[in-house]
Every structure is written in C-alpha cells, then in structure tokens.
Amino acid sequence: MKSPHACKYLYGLIGYPLVHSFSLDYFNQKFISEDIDAQYINFEIEDLGLLGEIIAEYPNLNGLNVTAPYKEAVIPFLDTLDEDARLIGAVNVIRFIRDRSTGALTELRGYNSDVVGFGKTIPSILTPERTSAMVLGTGGAAKAVRAAFEDYGVEVQFVSRRKSESTVVYEEITRAMVAAHKIIVNATPLGKYPDDNRCPDFPYRFLTPEHICYDLIYNPEETLFMKKAAAQGAETKNGIEMLLLQAFDSYDIWTMGDD
C-alpha cells in the first residue's frame, strides 16, 4: 500500500483508544475493490488539539470519522454543522470542503451518520409491545439513538451513573420500569474489546423474552451485556449492522457533489 501522502484522497478515524477499527478494514477493502485512489488510516490521539496538526500534515485529507471520546468535543473545531448534528449535539463524520482549483481547505463541516445507521435498523426490532426504550448512557451515541427513535414514536428514558432531570440512575431501575421499556440499548463503551469482561450495571433479572437488548458495540460479537440478557430469554442484537449503515452514509457525505 502506498504512503498516505501519495494517494489522491485520504480519509481516517480520530478517537482514543483505537484498539480495533472496523472502518479501517472496510474502507481500504472498498477502495481496492473499486479501484479508488484513496486510503483510510487511524489517528489515535490522546489530545483533540492535535487535529490541527493532522490537517496540516495531510493536504489530501478529505474526510474523517469521529469516535469516542470526541463526538461532542470536536464541535468547536468545526465551521458548520449539518442539521442532525446540530440538534443531536454530536458529530461522527467530518467533511473537508476544499477549493477545487487550489485544494485549499475552506470549511470543516460536521455530520451525524449514527442517527441514520441506527434509524435504519429500528423497523426490524419493533413489535407491538416495544414502544418505549431505555438507553444506557448519555453521550453522543445515546443522543443519536434518541433522535432516531423519535422518528418512530418510541419514547426514550436515559439511564446514567449520574442523576439529572432527564436521567435515572441504575440503582433506581425497578422491575416495573424494565417492564415498561421493552427495548434496552447499551450506548456506553462498557464491554468493548479489550475490556469485554465489563457491562452496564443493569438489573438483567427483570428482562423477559419480550425484551430486545441492543448493544451498539460490535467487537466482541456477543458482549457480556448481550450474554446476560440472553440468559433471561431476551432477544439480543449487536452494533455491526448499524456500523455498516453509518459507514455507507459516511462515504456518501464525503463524496457528495463530486464529479
């Protein structure tokens, strides 16, 4: 594979840590199979302030994906936001808009493809009993999940480690609350490889076969959250389909308007 500086189009992922990246393999295989002069690389940065250095070093950079913990923190670095990203308050796709004649960077525009990716999976998990959801976590991914659910009329209750007006804490969850929310979504990083021996402190004993427990994590394929839910008879789903769908949307965003 040629140097990242040598390809016509460069894309990448910023986040920390980046132990394993589905996007890296997916996009590079796509570029090879479709004979696109492009490459995708990971930028594992502990300090988001390094974003400016990355942009300066790679004048062929045309787009970035953003993952934890920077989906919200990256917003002040951007010039404009798409409407979904603005309403959600989180960004996971950055489009680099460059002058066609000089290649000079003119704008960094933020988007949120998580809401599209998750939203397209919602019809497959709905049943007449599943009209309300508990979303574990309150970060950028959780906000995108809520926005997607709103389009389907699914009410959302956020669960967090810290009490607020819009959340309940794990210790407050009762059997009646779980019974009233037949969709449980893990939008936290708990259980993600390599810390796959962890899971949210949820009262799994209250789950039933009518529930679906949807983990946005895709590695490992079956998280501890999913295993504990399955042990109670609940349906489970991981985040690989959402990841694929948001990857498709990312590339469409980066290349919109291209000849």
Side-chain angles (χ1 to χ4, degrees), residues 122 126 130-132 146-156:
I122 290 175
L126 294 180
R130 296 172 182 168
T131 58
S132 299
R146 177 182 61 182
F149 272 140
E150 285 176 350
D151 290 338
Y152 289 87
V154 175
E155 296 181 3
V156 169

Side-chain angles (χ1 to χ4, degrees), residues 30 35 38 47 51 66 77 80 92 101 105 115-117 125 139 149 165 197 221 224 226 231 234-235 238 246:
K30 173 184 175 66
D35 197 26
D47 181 358
L51 178 59
V66 183
F77 292 81
T80 58
N92 74 319
S101 58
L105 182 63
V115 67
V116 174
I125 68 172
F149 272 140
E165 290 184 2
N197 62 341
E221 186 175 337
L224 185 57
M226 293 169 65
E235 183 183 351
N238 68 17
Q246 72 87 13

Side-chain angles (χ1 to χ4, degrees), residues 89-160:
V91 164
N92 74 319
V93 182
I94 302 173
R95 183 184 179 206
F96 287 52
I97 300 176
R98 296 186 178 276
D99 184 279
R100 285 184 174 270
S101 58
T102 67
L105 182 63
T106 60
E107 185 181 342
L108 292 177
R109 187 174 298 168
Y111 297 80
N112 192 301
S113 66
D114 280 341
V115 67
V116 174
F118 185 82
K120 288 182 178 179
T121 71
I122 290 175
S124 67
I125 68 172
L126 294 180
T127 67
E129 295 76 29
R130 296 172 182 168
T131 58
S132 299
M134 272 192 173
V135 177
L136 313 184
T138 56
K143 291 174 180 176
V145 166
R146 177 182 61 182
F149 272 140
E150 285 176 350
D151 290 338
Y152 289 87
V154 175
E155 296 181 3
V156 169
Q157 172 63 66
F158 281 127
V159 181
S160 177

